Amino acid sequence: MDPPLDVWGLSSSLLSLWINRFYIYWGFAFGISLWICVQIVIKRQAKNSQVKSVSKANQELMTNGYISLQKREIFVSGVKIFYGSQTGTAKGFAASLAEAVTSLDLPVEAINLKEYDPDDHLAEEVTSRTVCAFLLATYTDGRPPESAEWFCKWLEEAASDFRFDKTYLKGMRYAVFGLGNSAYSNHFNKVGKNVDRWLWKLGAHRVLTRGEGDCNVAKSKHGSIEADFRAWKAKFISRLRALCKGEKKSCGGNCKKGKCESKQHGPEEVEPGPHTQDEAHHRGPKEEEPCESTSEEECGPEDHQGFSSVVDVEDLGKLMDRGKKEKREKEQQEEKTSLFRSTGKNEDDGRRAMITPALREALTKQGYQLIGSHSGVKLCRWTKSMLRGRGGCYKHTFYGIESHRCMETTPSLACANKCVFCWRHHTNPVGTEWQWKMDPPEMILKEAIENHQNMIKQFRGVPGVKAERFEEGMVVKHCALSLVGEPIMYPEINSFLKLLHQCKISSFLVTNAQFPTEIRNLKPVTQLYVSVDASTKDSLKKIDRPLFKDFWQRFLDSLKALATKQQRTVYRLTLVKAWNLDELQAYAELVSLGNPDFIEVKGVTYCGASSASSLTMANVPWHEEVVRFVRELVELIPDYDIACEHEHSNCLLIAHKRVIIPQ
């Protein structure tokens, strides 16, 4: 019996597969091989892609010659510059510093402390990774400027308030630059010093030693406050670059009573590091003060071991070598300092010259002809006016002085006051005693006349200048010792006056009533002036801003000394509106004290904006107001009467009746 067709078909198929089994095996092998190859290619592509990605990341994160696969850390997120300014100087410095910081591609913000609330925002500086710079001026009597009063008050209270944690500002980084005048030694840069100390007491971290700008060009470290700031700014920018790279330097936390026990010589500045929390809690206001040092020292991370410490004998050689090295560096630094100071000193007596390079530049720009190391001469505008046949100054009207034959000079550019109406904008140095090298009076007078004549010569051929006036102007007949400064401070003033009189030159000397002994010892002059700028202690301090602590007693003694002089004497009153116009009775009492022959009453002259004065045109009295003041004053002093008036100079003359010739 034949098998069924379906069974036969199945057997035939199986037989065919068996016969062709090698082809089937080969097909499976080929498929598997192809799948394996595809997987290998895919894996290689993925690996290559990963390598390229890593390589690109390495290139992006490569900095300073090393490779980091981690995200780059930002050490300084920006700079905030806080300023407190009374006259605009600190504000200008803030703008200059902001411009310098911008060159580092860092965000920068200049903030007026008047618009900043420390209660709301100061704590934010702890975690913001910003660096804070404080530019702060010191105003009258060591007070902060008006714009920074609230900030300083808040900071002082916070630093002394037990409710504020002593780590309140831990993590905040700051630097301080103060603006002041060393002539006021008791208050020099007081605001900057206080803010520096208060921030430190609250745990903030100083990144740079405090800078101190000095308006007193004779004592300024770099010759002017602008130069002081530029030097500090350069160090601040250098320190900022280091901070941006992640550099961290701090002292070991052993700063007590203003001394740092871990000092390292280097180009950086003092940097007391952030103390540990326990240390910060235990440091009290009387126990420790901020780490201070010179601008050439820095508190480094190492603690330098003193010779008195216990050391291993094996380390003794290294310790001695380090000590010798430090000694050599100190000697070299002292030699450099000595060399720097010697440039401004007299080789004969060791005293420095009054006229520094910066002062010379400033005064020369104002038209001074400087003489030697402490004197100067300048051509008065009334001299120029009279050379052209026009009017003369009030001295011409009052006393018959020929203005075109008058020489305005001074043997001392220094002064003991910083009056708010100073018409030289305080470019001259200040001091309470003679501390500079001294030029002989013969040389001063000779060069003063020569310089004056050279300035007169410049008017030869100028339209309007009269030939006869020009020839007369070449011969000096009068000398006004009132140019600037305090001529009576010059130790050889009597010899100088004697030379003037020998040359038949009249002398008109003005003193600021702070040197009573010198007034008593002064030889007779043609006319002796004493400036009486106020009649009460408070107003005199406010207007003249004297350097002497006993300025009021010196003022009174000067007026008493004037009363003993057997020569022509003058009170010179300068009226400043809203300052001293209401002191009539007090002025009358001062007149009786000095009993002068004449009283010149003059409205203050506004000489433009000055960084050292808040005076404005609103403080200049009208001539009618000066006339009214004089009339009311004369009613209180019956021995005197109005003698003359010079409206152009806003000035009136009151004379004692003993010198008035009856008409």
Side-chain angles (χ1 to χ4, degrees):
M1 182 176 180
D2 295 330
L5 292 174
D6 53 348
V7 174
W8 173 254
L10 178 61
S11 299
S12 177
S13 297
L14 292 173
L15 181 62
S16 177
L17 289 172
W18 175 255
I19 295 172
N20 298 300
R21 64 184 181 277
F22 296 105
Y23 296 103
I24 295 172
Y25 294 158
W26 182 85
F28 275 112
F30 178 77
I32 293 172
S33 300
L34 183 61
W35 181 81
I36 292 173
C37 290
V38 170
Q39 294 299 316
I40 291 174
V41 171
I42 292 174
K43 289 182 179 180
R44 284 184 177 179
Q45 289 179 346
K47 185 176 182 180
N48 290 338
S49 177
Q50 183 178 3
V51 170
K52 290 181 180 179
S53 177
V54 172
S55 177
K56 184 177 181 180
N58 289 343
Q59 292 177 0
E60 291 177 352
L61 295 175
M62 183 177 292
T63 54
N64 299 328
Y66 66 88
I67 297 176
S68 174
L69 296 179
Q70 299 177 351
K71 185 178 179 180
R72 184 178 179 181
E73 183 178 359
I74 298 176
F75 297 100
V76 178
S77 62
V79 177
K80 289 185 178 180
I81 304 171
F82 301 91
Y83 64 88
S85 181
Q86 187 71 28
T87 60
T89 304
K91 182 179 180 181
F93 286 170
S96 174
L97 184 60
E99 184 178 354
V101 172
T102 303
S103 65
L104 302 180
D105 294 328
L106 285 174
V108 61
E109 184 179 4
I111 302 171
N112 188 344
L113 285 172
K114 186 177 182 180
E115 302 168 356
Y116 185 81
D117 191 341
D119 204 16
D120 293 338
H121 303 293
L122 193 59
E124 298 174 2
E125 315 304 340
V126 172
T127 57
S128 63
R129 296 197 177 186
T130 58
V131 175
C132 300
F134 293 87
L135 311 182
L136 297 159
T138 299
Y139 198 47
T140 307
D141 293 335
R143 293 185 293 106
E146 294 178 5
S147 60
E149 280 185 351
W150 167 243
F151 176 83
C152 292
K153 179 178 177 61
W154 183 93
L155 197 62
E156 179 182 15
E157 292 177 352
S160 57
D161 192 340
F162 70 92
R163 293 168 295 184
F164 276 84
D165 194 338
K166 296 310 175 185
T167 59
Y168 179 73
L169 296 179
K170 182 177 174 63
M172 174 183 173
R173 296 175 292 181
Y174 76 96
V176 175
F177 181 82
L179 295 81
N181 192 314
S182 60
Y184 299 92
S185 56
N186 292 339
H187 306 301
F188 178 54
N189 267 313
K190 184 176 181 180
V191 175
K193 293 175 182 177
N194 286 340
V195 169
D196 188 18
R197 183 175 72 254
W198 295 331
L199 289 171
W200 184 87
K201 289 175 70 174
L202 289 171
H205 171 62
R206 189 201 300 142
V207 299
L208 192 68
T209 193
R210 182 182 65 254
E212 295 187 344
D214 193 351
C215 287
N216 186 0
V217 294
K219 293 291 186 67
S220 170
K221 183 177 180 180
H222 299 91
S224 68
I225 190 171
E226 291 80 9
D228 293 337
F229 173 71
R230 286 194 296 270
W232 181 85
K233 180 177 70 174
K235 294 175 182 178
F236 179 80
I237 296 300
S238 175
R239 185 71 184 121
L240 202 57
R241 287 195 183 98
L243 292 173
C244 290
K245 296 176 182 178
E247 182 178 324
K248 295 181 179 179
K249 288 186 179 181
S250 61
C251 66
N254 299 317
C255 306
K256 295 185 177 182
K257 296 182 180 179
K259 296 181 180 180
C260 180
E261 297 179 3
S262 55
K263 293 185 178 180
Q264 176 182 351
H265 291 276
E268 302 291 342
E269 292 292 326
V270 177
E271 179 190 338
H275 302 273
T276 63
Q277 188 169 350
D278 291 340
E279 288 172 337
H281 274 297
H282 286 89
R283 67 187 188 189
K286 294 183 179 180
E287 293 177 349
E288 301 182 359
E289 292 295 334
C291 171
E292 295 286 357
S293 76
T294 65
S295 60
E296 301 300 327
E297 296 176 336
E298 178 186 14
C299 294
E302 292 185 30
D303 280 339
H304 286 193
Q305 196 172 20
F307 290 105
S308 61
S309 304
V310 179
V311 297
D312 195 300
V313 175
E314 295 178 357
D315 296 329
L316 187 59
K318 297 180 181 179
L319 186 62
M320 295 296 293
D321 289 340
R322 187 172 66 216
K324 292 178 180 179
K325 182 179 179 181
E326 290 178 351
K327 184 177 180 180
R328 285 196 302 271
E329 291 177 350
K330 184 177 180 180
E331 290 175 351
Q332 292 174 357
Q333 181 63 32
E334 289 177 350
E335 289 177 359
K336 292 179 180 179
T337 304
S338 176
L339 181 62
F340 172 79
R341 290 177 178 174
S342 66
T343 58
K345 290 185 177 181
N346 187 350
E347 295 179 356
D348 297 330
D349 56 14
R351 294 189 176 188
R352 61 192 299 179
M354 181 187 295
I355 304 177
T356 63
L359 177 59
R360 182 175 296 276
E361 180 182 0
L363 292 176
T364 302
K365 287 181 180 179
Q366 296 181 31
Y368 285 82
Q369 296 293 321
L370 300 179
I371 304 166
S373 63
H374 54 74
S375 308
V377 63
K378 194 173 187 290
L379 204 62
C380 176
R381 72 182 183 92
W382 290 109
T383 300
K384 304 173 187 177
S385 175
M386 210 162 192
L387 284 171
R388 296 178 177 179
R390 301 173 184 175
C393 70
Y394 66 89
K395 290 187 181 72
H396 172 69
T397 304
F398 293 171
Y399 315 113
I401 298 303
E402 298 173 290
S403 300
H404 65 296
R405 307 184 74 178
C406 182
M407 176 178 68
E408 191 175 26
T409 187
T410 180
S412 172
L413 292 164
C415 187
N417 291 343
K418 291 182 70 67
C419 305
V420 295
F421 50 77
C422 178
W423 59 329
R424 303 305 179 194
H425 295 317
H426 304 160
T427 46
N428 56 305
V430 290
T432 57
E433 61 181 5
W434 191 268
Q435 53 187 314
W436 304 275
K437 70 177 185 178
M438 186 173 60
D439 299 326
E442 295 82 4
M443 182 270 285
I444 296 174
L445 180 57
K446 179 177 179 293
E447 293 194 18
I449 294 175
E450 289 178 355
N451 280 288
H452 177 79
Q453 290 174 337
N454 289 334
M455 289 186 286
I456 294 291
K457 288 178 182 178
Q458 296 175 9
F459 283 82
R460 186 188 300 274
V462 173
V465 174
K466 295 184 176 295
E468 65 276 12
R469 293 281 179 90
F470 179 84
E471 294 300 327
E472 291 174 350
M474 293 297 293
V475 181
V476 178
K477 298 298 294 181
H478 315 288
C479 181
L481 294 167
S482 61
L483 176 63
V484 70
E486 177 62 83
I488 207 171
M489 284 183 68
Y490 177 48
E492 294 294 328
I493 185 63
N494 282 325
S495 299
F496 183 79
L497 292 170
K498 183 178 179 181
L499 291 172
L500 279 175
H501 298 158
Q502 288 176 353
C503 296
K504 297 183 179 180
I505 300 175
S506 63
S507 54
F508 293 76
L509 187 145
V510 181
T511 178
N512 290 319
Q514 288 296 298
F515 296 91
T517 301
E518 286 74 6
I519 292 176
R520 293 190 185 94
N521 296 332
L522 189 70
K523 297 296 182 180
V525 296
T526 306
Q527 191 156 293
L528 179 58
Y529 286 79
V530 171
S531 294
V532 182
D533 300 325
S535 60
T536 65
K537 183 177 181 180
D538 291 339
S539 59
L540 186 68
K541 181 178 182 181
K542 184 179 180 182
I543 294 174
D544 278 4
R545 297 191 292 185
L547 271 63
F548 284 107
K549 292 181 180 179
D550 57 340
F551 66 92
W552 182 245
Q553 189 58 50
R554 284 177 168 271
F555 177 76
L556 297 178
D557 290 344
S558 295
L559 300 185
K560 293 176 183 177
L562 196 72
T564 65
K565 307 297 289 185
Q566 300 299 314
Q567 61 176 86
R568 197 161 66 184
T569 57
V570 184
Y571 273 13
R572 187 168 71 174
L573 277 62
T574 301
L575 302 184
V576 185
K577 198 172 182 177
W579 291 56
N580 61 3
L581 277 175
D582 301 325
E583 303 174 354
L584 283 163
Q585 184 59 48
Y587 273 119
E589 294 174 1
L590 292 181
V591 169
S592 63
L593 194 64
N595 196 28
D597 296 313
F598 299 100
I599 304 171
E600 294 178 3
V601 183
K602 186 178 185 299
V604 68
T605 300
Y606 179 63
C607 301
S610 167
S611 61
S613 173
S614 58
L615 201 69
T616 68
M617 278 298 297
N619 300 115
V620 180
W622 294 97
H623 186 64
E624 292 77 7
E625 294 176 300
V626 177
V627 172
R628 187 187 315 119
F629 177 91
V630 169
R631 287 174 177 170
E632 293 176 357
L633 178 61
V634 167
E635 291 179 0
L636 299 175
I637 46 177
D639 292 335
Y640 291 82
D641 204 351
I642 299 175
C644 199
E645 178 182 12
H646 193 266
E647 186 173 355
H648 189 101
S649 298
N650 199 11
C651 184
L652 279 83
L653 178 68
I654 302 173
H656 197 287
K657 292 180 179 179
R658 65 173 176 263
V659 298
I660 297 178
I661 300 176
Q663 298 296 329

